[in-house]
Amino acid sequence: MLTEKISENNFIRTLGNFFSEIANVAKFIVRFFKEIFTAPFEFREIIKQSYLIGYRSLPLVAITGFIMGLVLTVQSRPTLAEFGAQSWLPAMVGVSIVREIGPVITALICAGKIGSGISAELASMKVTEQIDAMEASGANAFKYIVFTRIVSTALMVPLLVIFSDFIALLGSYAGVNIYDDINFRFFFSQVFQKLNFTDVIPAVIKTIFFGFAIGLIGTYKGYNSTSGTEGVAKAANSSVVISSLLVFIIDMIAVQVTSLLR
Amino acid sequence: MKEASAKKFETTDGHDEIVLEIEHLKKSFGSKEVLKDVTLKIRKGENLAVIGKSGSGKSVLIKCIIKLIEPDEGELIVLGKNILDIDNRELNETRQKIGFLFQSAALYDSMTVRENLEFPLRQLPSSKKKEITELVEEALKNVGLLEVIDKMPSELSGGMRKRVGLARTLILKPEIILYDEPTTGLDAITSKEISHLILDVQKKYSTSSIIITHDMECARITSNRIQVLYEGVFIAEGTFEELKQSKDERVCSFFE
Ligand SMILES: Nc1ncnc2c1ncn2[C@@H]1O[C@H](COP(=O)(O)OP(=O)(O)OP(=O)(O)O)[C@@H](O)[C@H]1O
Ligand SMILES: [Mg+2]
């Protein structure tokens, strides 16, 4: 009886916490959109953050992209070969990379690398009173720290995905060439024959949302972390978990929306 | 001795304009009452030292003044503005006129010392590159650290960070300065230099300051008046000499 009551109370409390957290995130988003329309726009900081977020992720994204393309090709080949349809391999792999696997895998990697980095950085700025110090000097710390990072991730994640898609196609070309000897030009003409704008555009649009979600959760968790070094680790950890989950949820919604629009 | 008594209540331009007024300020964290009832007035050109045990709420008090911490109750008039009532834009304008030295110095880790000092200046609309460089160099010279201008904060010692923090606080030539333990962690000689720097700033720009400190030498040099904070209320007030004569045990203990 007693334990039942306790767990029921716990459940209600958890549910309450959950909804108040959602409300806080909503407030955070509203504040972000308000900041879009007010000066200063902190272009320099946006460019600096974009460099840090984008450029520094290139090697990781490139390696994973290449492996992703290669593995996908090698794994798909036997199935297609069974139907005698090996010649379809470039087109099939191209479509699945650009439409689905490239965006999602790259976004997950960004959630791990960029999201956790932002959270840890902001949380430690909070612990060491650097955010307070910015506010104390009359600066808009939210704008300078949070706004710029969300904008930068929303811009950089799509670019990283496009880059990763391209590298993945190279990986796929390498994979095809393990068995057959096909020409580079021919491979890419095969890929682009089956790839339409209606594949590419929705895929790019959804990556903007992926980037936004990663930046949003990363900054939210960091900016609102509880003090102490423990808070830094917690912020980084939960930011990765939540933004990875969001990537899948957004992806699912995006699939529904694009199939409706078709 | 002579120096101290001459200083008594003689503010630099000798008038009675109140720049900071705190009335019945209260702040609790959860069930823990940190500030119970704090009332305080500071005149233009006056230096007030606040002493008190660790955990007595000194840092919380000065953070309330610039609304880094939102008080639960009370009135707070800073430079004629009711801090608890104004919008964000006005709050930021007021904050730019107030310098705040953090206990931990709070230097921006990702920026060089130069960029740290430039940060408060970036909000001035008209500042030119050359002027900014001059201001930064002058501020660092004042704390005797011009040579670290291109270093990162992580390359500095604790005391150096504190002094860079002080330079950053002073760079906007604020009208009110809130110092949170400006000399803690410094050697005796540097402490004395910093105390004299605080005094010089007061004399030169007729600023008003609150100086939180455990360092009685610093309190003696810098302050016109001292308040003793004990468990969230002020229990004694007076000049250094007056408090030194106090019979109250809680006050005497600071002078031993
Ligand atoms: N953000 C906060 N949340 C909860 N409690 C806090 C917070 N800030 C301060 N406190 C509590 O308020 C009390 C006073 O803290 P404060 O930092 O003002 O002490 P202090 O007088 O500055 O001490 P010290 O000389 O050690 O710096 C402490 O007991 C502290 O635990
Ligand atoms: Mg303190």
Side-chain angles (χ1 to χ4, degrees), chain B residues 29 32 34 53-60 69 103 181 214:
Chain B
F29 292 104
K32 186 175 164 53
V34 176
K53 277 200 315 201
S54 186
S56 56
K58 305 181 298 294
S59 299
V60 171
I69 293 177
Q103 194 167 351
E181 306 194 7
H214 299 287

Side-chain angles (χ1 to χ4, degrees), chain B residues 9 19 29 41-42 45 81-82 104 117 119 126 129 135-136 138-139 148 168 175 203 212 222 226 238 243 248:
Chain B
F9 291 126
V19 290
F29 292 104
K41 274 194 183 110
I42 294 175
K81 297 259 161 66
N82 185 345
S104 59
L117 268 73
F119 191 86
S126 60
K129 191 127 188 110
L135 274 173
V136 169
E138 186 201 321
V148 304
R168 191 180 68 186
E175 294 172 42
K203 292 265 139 60
I212 288 178
T222 57
I226 298 177
L243 289 184
D248 192 328

Side-chain angles (χ1 to χ4, degrees), chain A residues 42 129-130 135 137-139, chain B residues 63 95 104 108-109 122-123:
Chain A
E42 308 286 6
E129 298 185 308
Q130 293 176 51
E135 299 203 322
S137 70
Chain B
K63 280 181 186 169
R95 280 171 170 176
S104 59
Y108 308 130
D109 286 336
R122 58 199 289 283
Q123 302 164 89

Side-chain angles (χ1 to χ4, degrees), chain B residues 190-202:
Chain B
T190 317
S191 291
K192 204 158 184 176
E193 279 171 19
I194 295 294
S195 303
H196 283 289
L197 178 65
I198 292 174
L199 194 62
D200 285 348
V201 169
Q202 176 205 18

Side-chain angles (χ1 to χ4, degrees), chain B residues 213-224:
Chain B
T213 187
H214 299 287
D215 174 0
M216 294 313 289
E217 183 65 6
C218 171
R220 187 185 68 79
I221 295 172
T222 57
S223 67
N224 307 103

